Amino acid sequence: MDLHFYIDHQTIYGEELVLNMVNPSADSMAEPTRFRMHTHDGRRWECVLQWDETSCPELDYFYTVVRGNDVVKSGWTMKKHRLDLNAKQATGYRIFDHWMDIPGNAYLYSSAVTDCIAVHDHTTRNRASSFAQTVRLKVRAPRLRNGDKLIGPGGGKAFGNWNPDKAPRAFEHTHHEWVLDIDRKKIEGDTFEFKYALKSDDGLQWELRNNRFVTLPEMNDGDVVVYELDEADFPIAPVRCGGTLVPVFSLRSEGSCGVGDFGDLKRMIEWAAGTGQRVLQVLPINDTTLTHTWTDSYPYSCISIFALHPQYADLRQLPRLKNKEAEKAFEERRRQLNALAVIDYEGVNNLKDEYLRAIFRQEGKRMMGTAAFKKFFAQEQQWLVPYAKYCHLRDTYGTTDFSRWENHPQWDEQERAALSDPASANYAEVAYHYFVQYLLDAQMQDAHAHARKLGVVLKGDIPIGVSRQGCDVWQEPRYFNLNGQAGAPPDYFSVNGQNWGFPTYNWDEMLNDGCLWWIRRFSNMAKYFDAYRIDHVLGFFRIWEIPADAVHGITGHFAPALGMSREEIEGYGLHWQEELFTEPFIMDWVLDRIFREHATTVRENYLLPTHDGRYRMRPEFDTQRKVEAFFAGKNTETDIWIRDGLYALISDVLFVRDHKDANKFHPRISVQLDFIYESLYDSDKAIFNRLYNDYFYHRNNQFWYREAMRKLPVLTQATRMLVCAEDLGMVPDCVPWVMDQLKILSLELQAMPKDSRERFGNLDHFPYRSVCTISSHDMPTMRQWWDEDCQRTQTYFNVMLSQGGPAPHPLPGWLARDIVARNLACPSMLCIIAIQDWLATDERLRRKDAEAERVNIPANPKHYWRYRMHLSLEQLMKEEAFNEDVRRLLTENNRT
């Protein structure tokens, strides 16, 4: 049959419109079929397709504007146009479409809303039209709730003569899109008038707009005319939800093994649902195993963006060991680990590995012969096979240094066949890792399904980086720059910046294949979550890139960024002196200020004199990494003092050289606190400050906007998960531009206002499209923050809480509850409270030692991530008074 598409969209000379057709039942990674459209005036575009409706009874599609083979602009791809080819007497369809950009309420189309919060009953699907001539009206109505009925009252018999009880009913044929089929022969004339309304338990509500008028073309028998109409909006309150943030590893239950697992996650979901919460946010759950030591506890340094961490396996869901002595010994060790106040990472993971290997020997052959395992392997083998080989080599050689793996410095695709053949010896070497990932995938997908069933949105976390010694880098090194390190500039968390050690991304290579690596990553995550947090979203605009020989993050610069030439710097009026500005500024008075009584020792052992009273570092100490290596294992107070002082000397430069172009320079971040800046004349300081502000806050805005728009539109529309972003730190003006354009939820904290003129954020001014929280895993908890700076707390107490007198210390439960309630009352779509802050409201339940509640200290790159809830989930479930108070807080603030 013929499919005739029409769409009005203004283009300019040289541009064309392309119709991109997708089979909804096909692989989500499949390329669309593209059809170029034609026009006579550059505005009305059309194309005719010959289509076999029996092979594909429904179609998804979207439009793009192209110039040659380059896409200039794309319509909304997360929620595509849908066409059902189900009219029984149809011989052809004429489809009148309109261009769809990402709407302001895109969040309503996310799986977080459609599959968790406002699930609709789809058992009554659109019935196939049997009319000889069908007029099909399509409309999106995302605010409808489950049980609401959409009708189309209008003029004439076909529309019930404006009588809602006789009006035709629309049916939801895909999420939030409704179809109303009308018999053309019952429509009087060529133009009809109608208006959508909904019937619900609240009565009848009309859409918020004037009546709609539709003029029909001439029609014959067999014709189906499809009109895609503007969205129908109704006076229904916006979605506002409350929830909890807790790492999976921090969960505690009576039957867990010293660390939270996916079974505990199901129990936590039940607690959230039982208290009226609709969101449960966790930290990354990917495998981070590099050394099998506690340093692997850092959840943001994954070795695989696909593999789940074996520590999260719920052993209670597995068969018992047939060896009763071994089972008894395991149970005793489990009890010991579970009794600990904090996580013993090595003890937990060693015990779980032993148990999983015992179960593998006992049950592996049977379980890996099932249809379920074979389906899992077929779907995941692209990443699973290299990951399993990586784990085998890591454990065989006792290192993740690829260069020391004999004949395996990089993944060899030629090995895939043997590693995928159950009859081969190669398969036997890695089968255990297949088995473990199969178990983890099944358990996590079960937790996800459980959350959806209870109406709870599981929100995951996508780290900005990956381990430079991980499987992703080993398998596909072309996607990474290994000559630098990713981190963050100095901020509230760390005065020296943060050095995460991750490789930076080779975006040119990633963009060459349409960001396939990222699309696979997001698609995999959608199996487990319905919302996600983009960790450090600023990294998609520019990343803070640190030289490979640096320990601290302070000598990095943003990349990509528009470095400054010598001529540009002099154009500001600052006379260029390359040695003075780019080499460490070391003078006697500087040494005396830093090292005091150790200054002579430093001069004699670590420095060489140059000229005019200046020094330079000896070659064996001229980078922070060399200094770090020299002082490794030296932990006296003097050694640490000298080491940190040498780090400071090396970073004391006014400009850092661009990592790619040696003739371009970047002002060193926060240099106003250093000695080289102090040495400048006041006039030069004023010039430098003007240059510094222009560089960091104005120069790169448009450039970074374009960089983000090359990447984020593809990634955020790759799945239907709700997109949230951590947009804290040194935020350029272009970040809110992009986030607003792509409808990404921002992160809002009263203690970290986005407006630099404010000391504390105004909760009432938080945007609706945002996530409000009090503290995160990188911050002090509410109780810690309260006692951290008494002067700041006093101001907050008097000004923001409108309380008189001195602020009480420590934070009393009644006041913690007041702070939580105020945050819940803000306009943000989501308000997510850390479990420690929820418990802070109840002095009877909360931990006695507030300092023991901290999850991470960003200034410490070697932090041990081992926080555990002090209450078991069984205890938490039984705390009826506390749970009722949580439910009351959410209800009073319309967040249930």
Side-chain angles (χ1 to χ4, degrees), residues 151-186:
I151 58 175
K157 185 177 180 181
F159 296 91
N161 290 311
W162 293 104
N163 183 343
D165 294 330
K166 296 181 179 180
R169 179 182 172 185
F171 295 88
E172 190 175 14
H173 74 143
T174 182
H175 292 300
H176 291 325
E177 186 167 275
W178 302 71
V179 171
L180 180 60
D181 283 350
I182 304 294
D183 185 351
R184 170 63 180 93
K185 295 183 177 181
K186 292 184 179 180

Side-chain angles (χ1 to χ4, degrees), residues 228-437:
E228 186 174 69
L229 305 176
D230 294 337
E231 185 174 285
D233 193 19
F234 294 91
I236 297 174
V239 174
R240 290 174 68 251
C241 300
T244 293
L245 164 64
V246 61
V248 175
F249 59 74
S250 298
L251 299 175
R252 178 192 293 271
S253 70
E254 293 173 4
S256 54
C257 189
V259 68
D261 57 42
F262 291 149
D264 295 331
L265 180 59
K266 291 180 68 174
R267 294 168 182 82
M268 189 67 187
I269 291 165
E270 290 166 3
W271 174 77
T275 52
Q277 300 179 66
R278 306 305 297 271
V279 186
L280 182 61
Q281 179 176 334
V282 299
L283 300 192
I285 55 174
N286 295 99
D287 191 0
T288 58
T289 310
L290 288 166
T291 64
H292 295 289
T293 66
W294 69 264
T295 58
D296 298 341
S297 66
Y298 180 29
Y300 287 86
S301 182
C302 65
I303 62 169
S304 170
I305 59 173
F306 303 103
L308 301 175
H309 201 304
Q311 73 175 356
Y312 296 125
D314 179 7
L315 305 184
R316 292 163 292 189
Q317 298 184 42
L318 304 180
R320 296 295 88 195
L321 294 177
K322 295 178 181 178
N323 184 326
K324 298 305 178 184
E325 287 300 314
E327 178 74 23
K328 183 178 179 181
F330 160 77
E331 178 60 20
E332 178 60 29
R333 291 168 64 192
R334 184 201 68 78
R335 289 181 181 275
Q336 292 172 0
L337 288 168
N338 209 34
L340 298 177
V342 293
I343 298 167
D344 176 355
Y345 183 89
E346 293 171 25
V348 163
N349 281 275
N350 288 339
L351 181 59
K352 286 207 170 185
D353 183 62
E354 289 176 27
Y355 193 88
L356 288 168
R357 288 184 183 276
I359 290 294
F360 173 67
R361 290 190 294 270
Q362 177 180 298
E363 307 284 345
K365 184 176 181 180
R366 176 186 64 81
M367 294 178 72
M368 295 175 73
T370 62
F373 174 82
K374 292 175 181 177
K375 179 181 178 182
F376 165 78
F377 188 86
Q379 291 176 340
E380 311 299 335
Q381 60 181 314
Q382 191 277 334
W383 66 267
L384 181 62
V385 175
Y387 163 79
K389 182 67 175 182
Y390 166 92
C391 292
H392 172 68
L393 292 170
R394 174 199 62 200
D395 297 343
T396 299
Y397 290 98
T399 179
T400 51
D401 182 351
F402 315 145
S403 64
R404 294 168 60 185
W405 293 356
E406 186 177 349
N407 300 322
H408 289 92
Q410 184 179 335
W411 162 248
D412 184 356
E413 189 63 29
Q414 299 299 317
E415 295 189 58
R416 183 178 292 276
L419 292 167
S420 303
D421 181 2
S424 74
N426 304 75
Y427 182 94
E429 290 178 344
V430 301
Y432 168 69
H433 301 291
Y434 297 157
F435 176 74
V436 172
Q437 288 302 312

Side-chain angles (χ1 to χ4, degrees), residues 674-814:
D674 251 324
F675 298 109
I676 177 61
Y677 179 83
E678 184 180 334
S679 73
L680 298 177
Y681 292 118
D682 287 347
S683 59
D684 284 343
K685 288 179 182 176
I687 293 170
F688 179 81
N689 288 341
R690 182 162 58 88
L691 176 154
Y692 183 96
N693 289 331
D694 283 350
Y695 174 85
F696 281 110
Y697 298 104
H698 304 293
R699 177 183 180 86
N700 289 284
N701 263 322
Q702 290 295 335
F703 176 66
W704 287 336
Y705 169 81
R706 290 192 296 271
E707 282 295 310
M709 291 303 291
R710 295 168 69 203
K711 309 160 189 172
L712 283 173
V714 175
L715 309 186
T716 56
Q717 296 186 66
T719 72
R720 291 181 55 246
M721 291 187 289
L722 179 65
V723 188
C724 311
E726 181 264 291
D727 57 336
L728 305 178
M730 197 171 183
V731 182
D733 290 344
C734 60
V735 172
W737 304 345
V738 171
M739 291 183 60
D740 182 65
Q741 189 169 341
L742 301 180
K743 317 309 176 190
I744 300 172
L745 274 64
S746 63
L747 180 62
E748 306 293 333
L749 290 92
Q750 190 173 31
M752 297 182 67
K754 300 282 177 65
D755 188 338
S756 60
R757 297 167 297 181
E758 297 179 342
R759 188 168 187 187
F760 303 106
N762 188 326
L763 291 170
D764 292 336
H765 295 170
F766 283 3
Y768 171 72
R769 202 162 52 233
S770 68
V771 179
C772 165
T773 192
I774 298 173
S775 66
S776 77
H777 65 277
D778 276 337
M779 303 172 189
T781 63
M782 177 166 54
R783 293 164 66 199
Q784 290 174 314
W785 181 90
W786 189 263
D787 290 332
E788 192 177 60
D789 183 336
C790 290
Q791 184 178 357
R792 178 188 62 192
T793 298
Q794 187 64 51
T795 303
Y796 179 78
F797 182 72
N798 298 142
V799 177
M800 304 308 295
L801 299 183
S802 302
Q803 300 281 351
H809 290 274
L811 178 67
W814 67 267

Side-chain angles (χ1 to χ4, degrees), residues 36 66-71:
R36 290 188 180 255
V66 301
R67 182 182 292 274
N69 291 320
D70 297 328
V71 176

